[in-house]
Amino acid sequence: MGVALTGCANDRTHDGATKEPSADRMLDEANAAMSALQWVTVESAGGGDGGGGTTMRLSTDLTSRCAFTTTSATGATFEQIRIDGTDYVSVNRTYLEEAGREPARADWTKRWVKTPAGAARPGDGLVDCTQPFASFGEVAKGGTTEVGGLPARELKVTDASDESGSYSFYVATEGKPYILEVVYEGGGRRTTTSYSGFDAPTDVRAPDAAEVVDTGALG
């Protein structure tokens, strides 16, 4: 209901200029705009004070079709393509070595393993194409800035249950109020997540059949 009120008389100053919504309302509208998307690309990078960390990229239709890649500071790479009810997964040798596994076939790390999406379990590294856009905690306005050349307002979010960290949401102030970037800082870590490609579909397709091996090849 709050989103539907944008532009009403209460949102204008005495001289007729548009009044900026409250911090809570701005974040609610941003989450609603993101939830209405049919495609988005998410990129994230994070690490601790001592360096290291991982990078991640996800292009998704927010329902059942997406492509995901994550790479650690050591070079371990995990790739996933999900198309409806099927996952295709590919990892490199560094990833396997760090997991303490050896490929059942010498060349299988160059290929994709096909598995039912329903077989995914917490902790196996597979992502869901759906992404929740919701926030909690106390919201306060920060300054104005630019993210990727776009004007944005910083919204600082803190939660009593996480005393060590806080979030900064950077929301577009022109056009639709998309979330352009989220920065988390706390516990000696900093993670930056950026959003782009709003409603710009990515060509997510299954790997060539010749590059796909049966899950039995994992051993």
Side-chain angles (χ1 to χ4, degrees), residues 2 6 10-11 19-30 139-142 153-155 171:
T6 301
N10 291 335
D11 288 330
K19 181 180 178 182
E20 187 177 74
S22 68
D24 287 287
R25 183 166 168 183
M26 287 184 73
L27 192 54
D28 286 343
E29 291 180 350
V139 186
K141 290 182 182 180
R153 166 71 76 175
E154 179 187 10
L155 301 176
V171 177

Side-chain angles (χ1 to χ4, degrees), residues 157-159 162 164-168 183-186:
V157 180
T158 56
D159 178 53
D162 184 5
S164 65
S166 63
Y167 292 87
S168 289
V183 177
Y184 173 80
E185 292 184 273

Side-chain angles (χ1 to χ4, degrees), residues 42-175:
V42 186
E43 295 180 274
S44 180
D49 294 337
T54 61
T55 60
M56 175 276 286
R57 189 177 194 276
L58 171 68
S59 291
T60 176
D61 67 357
L62 296 173
T63 54
S64 61
R65 196 178 190 93
C66 57
F68 172 72
T69 301
T70 182
T71 302
S72 72
T74 62
T77 299
F78 178 99
E79 296 179 83
Q80 172 195 355
I81 297 173
R82 175 168 290 186
I83 299 177
D84 299 323
T86 301
D87 279 323
Y88 300 89
V89 178
S90 179
V91 300
N92 64 4
R93 180 168 289 278
T94 302
Y95 182 95
L96 281 178
E97 290 174 348
E98 292 183 358
R101 303 183 65 176
E102 285 292 329
R105 287 172 43 167
D107 65 343
W108 101 264
T109 56
K110 303 176 184 177
R111 298 173 179 265
W112 295 83
V113 174
K114 180 179 179 181
T115 183
R121 295 291 182 269
D124 62 11
L126 295 173
V127 301
D128 195 333
C129 298
T130 60
Q131 295 289 300
F133 293 104
S135 309
F136 53 88
E138 296 292 325
V139 186
K141 290 182 182 180
T144 57
T145 185
E146 286 192 356
V147 177
L150 300 174
R153 166 71 76 175
E154 179 187 10
L155 301 176
K156 298 181 179 180
V157 180
T158 56
D159 178 53
S161 65
D162 184 5
E163 298 180 356
S164 65
S166 63
Y167 292 87
S168 289
F169 287 74
Y170 294 90
V171 177
T173 54
E174 291 184 3

